[in-house]
Amino acid sequence: MTRVALFATCFNDTMWPQTPQATVRLLERLGVTVDFPAAQTCCGQMFTNTGYADEAIPLVRSFIDVFGSYDAVVAPSGSCTGSVRDQYADLAARAGDPGLAADVAQMTPRVHELSEYLVDVLGVTDVGAYFPHRVTYHPTCHSLRMLRVGDRPLRLLRAVKGIDLVELPGAEECCGFGGTFAMKNADTSVAMGGDKVRHIRETEAEVVVAGDNSCLAHIGGLLDRQRSGVRSMHLAEVLASTEEEPA
Amino acid sequence: MSSPARHQSSAGGQDIPHARTTSTFVGMPKFPAMAKEALANTQQRHNLNHATHTIRAKRAEVVDEVPDWEALRVDGAGTKDRVLADLDTYLLQLEDNLTRAGATVHWARDADEANRIVVDLVRAQQVEEVVKVKSMATQEIELNEALEAAGISAWETDLAELIVQLGHDRPSHILVPAIHRNRSEIREIFRAEMGKVGKPAPDDLTDDPARLADAARLHLREKFLRAKVAVSGTNFAIADTGTLVVLESEGNGRMCLTLPETLISVVGIEKVLPTWDDLGTFMQLLPRSSTGERMNPYTSTWTGVTPGDGPQEVHVVLLDNGRTSVLADEVGRQALRCIRCSACLNVCPVYERAGGHAYGSVYPGPIGAVLTPQLRGTGSKVDQSLPYASSLCGACFDVCPVRIEIPKLLVRLRTQVVDEHRGGAPSAEAVSMKAAAWMFADHRRLEKAQQAVTASSRLFGRRTSLENLPWPATSWSTARNAPAPPRETFRQWWLRTHGEDA
C-alpha cells in the first residue's frame, strides 16, 4: 500500500478545507493511505516572497521535522510546492546551517504538487472522476513556470467523464494575485485579474479550475463581485467528483 | 512647457536652437502610486497592450524557429558570466586594444565623472551641439541634461527617442521609448515641437507612419549633415580586437557613427565580450529577443580610428556608475548579463498595465525592478518599492536570452529592503509578519487562531463570499469579494473523520 503525507497548506486548511478534503477522498479512492501530520503549519512562502526571510527559516526547519520521514508528500498547491522545492535551499543557505541545507536537498524532491503526484508517481491520468460541466483551466504561474507541471493537469481533466473542457485565451498570463502583491499593488493586481476574468467569461465556462486556491481566491473574488455566476474550483475537487459524490 | 533658447554658435556663427530635455526621474513617488496613475490613462493602456502583445507574438515566432535556442541562451549566459568573473582582465585588454587602434580611453566612476568627461570633450571641439545614437548608458547618467547645462544641445536621432525628446517626455521602454504614444499623438508632437528646434514638420502632416517617418528624416537630416560630434553607447565591446558594436533598425545610428569628425562612446563596463567569435551568439540572441526579427537591419562596428574614413577622433568612456557594487554580489551580479533586449518588459503583465514611467528609472519592467535598486541602492522610497512591483509570475525569466533569474533576484532584493529596516521602528507590515510567524511556529497556536476563524463564520450565515473587509484588508475588497470563513477547518474535519479511533 502506498503511503503519503498530505501537506494541506495553511491557506487551504483554514479557508478552503474542501480542497484538502477532496485530495484525501481522491487519493484514498486510488488506493493511497494518507497521513495528515497534525504538527504542520505553513511553508513560509508569504514570508519569503515579502522579504521576511528570517521569519521563514523556522518554518523550513519545522517542515523538515514534520515531513522528513515520509517517502512522498503531496500538496494541493503549485505555489506552496514551488516554495518548498524552489526556495528552501536559498533559505537554508541564508541560515548558514549545512545540516539544514543537506536535509532540504534530501527532502524537497519528495514533495509533489497533486497533478505531478498523480501522473508521475501513481502513473494515472484517468482518476475515475465525473464532472458534467463546461470547464476552463487556468494554469497558475508557479505550477507552470516554477514547477513546470506542463500539461499534467489538462491530461487529468481531459480524462474526466462528462467534462466539456474549453481552452482559456491568454491562459499562461498571470491572474495578478501574486501573494502580498495583491495588497501592495492592488490596482495593478485588479487590472491583471480583470483581464483574466474577461477571458474566462469569454469561454462561457460554468467553472474555472486551477491548482492553487490563492489564485482562485483572487479570480473568484473578482467573478463574485461581477455576479458572473462562474464558479471557481480547485483541480482536486473536480478530480474527486464522482456520480455518487458530485462536487 | 519650456521654449527653446537660442544661442549664437561659436563655431561657424550659425544660429542653432537649443534642445530642452525633460526633468529627471529623481524624487518620483513609489511604484504603486505611479502605477495607479498610469492605469487611469486608458489610451496609454490600450497603446501598451497592443504594442507588447504584438512584439511578444513576433518574438515567440522567431525564437521558436531556432532549434537550439536553449543552447544559445546557456552559451550567452556563460559568456557573460565568464566576463563578469574576470572583468578587470577583459577591461584592461579592451583598453589596450582600443588605444592601439587609435581611440582614447577614459574611465568614469560615476555619472558625474562620465558627464564631465563628455562635456569637456565636446567643449574642446568648440561646438554647441552633438548628434546622439540611442543609448541607455547616456540616459542612465542623464548626459543630455548635463550637456544642456553646459549650453550644448544633444539631438536624439533614433525615431522613438526623438518623439520622447520633442514631447518633453520620459522614455517608457528600453527598445521603444515612445511605446506609450500612438500615431496621432506623435503627429501632434511633431507639428507642435519640430519647428522650435529645427526643420518644422510639414503643414499637411498626417498620422500615416510613412509620413511621420519622412518628417523625422527631413528634420534629422540637417542635424546629421551639420554635426561635428556624435555621442553613442554600445551594445558590445570586443576585448580581443577593441571593437565597439551597435545594432539598430533605422540607420540613424550609422549616420552618427560615420559622418561626424569626433565620436564619443559611453560604454558600461559590463558590455565587454571576450572575443570577436563570441559576438555570433549575441547576434542571434539580441535581435530575436528585442525586435522579434531574425536579424536587425543595421550592425555597425568600429575599431578606433581609420585614417580618411569615419570619425578621426574617437573617445571611449568606460562607465562604472554602480556596476562594480552589483558585481560584488555573487547572486545579484547576473543582472549585469542584461543585453537590454527588453523581452522581459514585453512579456511582463505588470509592465503591460503600469507602463514604463512607473518604474522611476530609464530601466523599466522586470529588469529595471532588479537592476535599478542594485545600481542605485534601496535608499529611496521608489527603489524600495521596485522589488515589489512584480507578481513573481516568472514569465520574464523564460524569455530572458541570457537566463537572468529575475524572480529570484526580486525576492532577494525584497529581503534586502526588509533587512535594512530591521532594528528601527517596525512597520505595521513587520509587526503583522512577526505575529504571523509566531502563530505558525507551533500548530497549537495556528489551531487557536483557526478557532477564531470558524467561530466568526456564524456571523455570516449562509453567505459564501464577503464584499467588505475591515482594514488592512480593504485594499483587497475594493474590487474583490473574499471567501466567507468555513465552519470547520480541514484539520477539524480530519480529526472528526480520520482521527484516532475515528
Side-chain angles (χ1 to χ4, degrees), chain B residues 98-137:
Chain B
L98 278 167
T99 311
R100 206 170 305 182
T104 309
V105 175
H106 311 259
W107 296 81
R109 269 167 297 206
D110 55 24
D112 284 348
E113 210 165 78
N115 287 332
R116 207 159 44 236
I117 293 166
V118 178
V119 166
D120 287 349
L121 288 169
V122 177
R123 276 189 175 144
Q125 299 302 317
Q126 298 187 310
V127 296
E128 288 194 349
E129 62 173 351
V130 300
V131 284
K132 281 194 68 210
V133 187
K134 177 172 166 28
S135 146
M136 296 309 295

Side-chain angles (χ1 to χ4, degrees), chain A residues 21-38:
Chain A
Q21 283 168 22
T23 308
V24 171
R25 278 206 311 278
L26 171 65
L27 291 173
E28 288 179 346
R29 194 172 80 213
L30 295 169
V32 178
T33 303
V34 181
D35 269 6
F36 175 75

Side-chain angles (χ1 to χ4, degrees), chain B residues 4 34 62 75 268 296 339 341 352 381 406 420 439 472 490:
Chain B
M34 291 297 289
V62 296
D75 187 26
N296 52 297
I339 55 174
C341 72
E352 180 191 327
K381 290 278 179 212
I406 296 175
E420 281 170 0
M439 178 188 70
F490 171 74

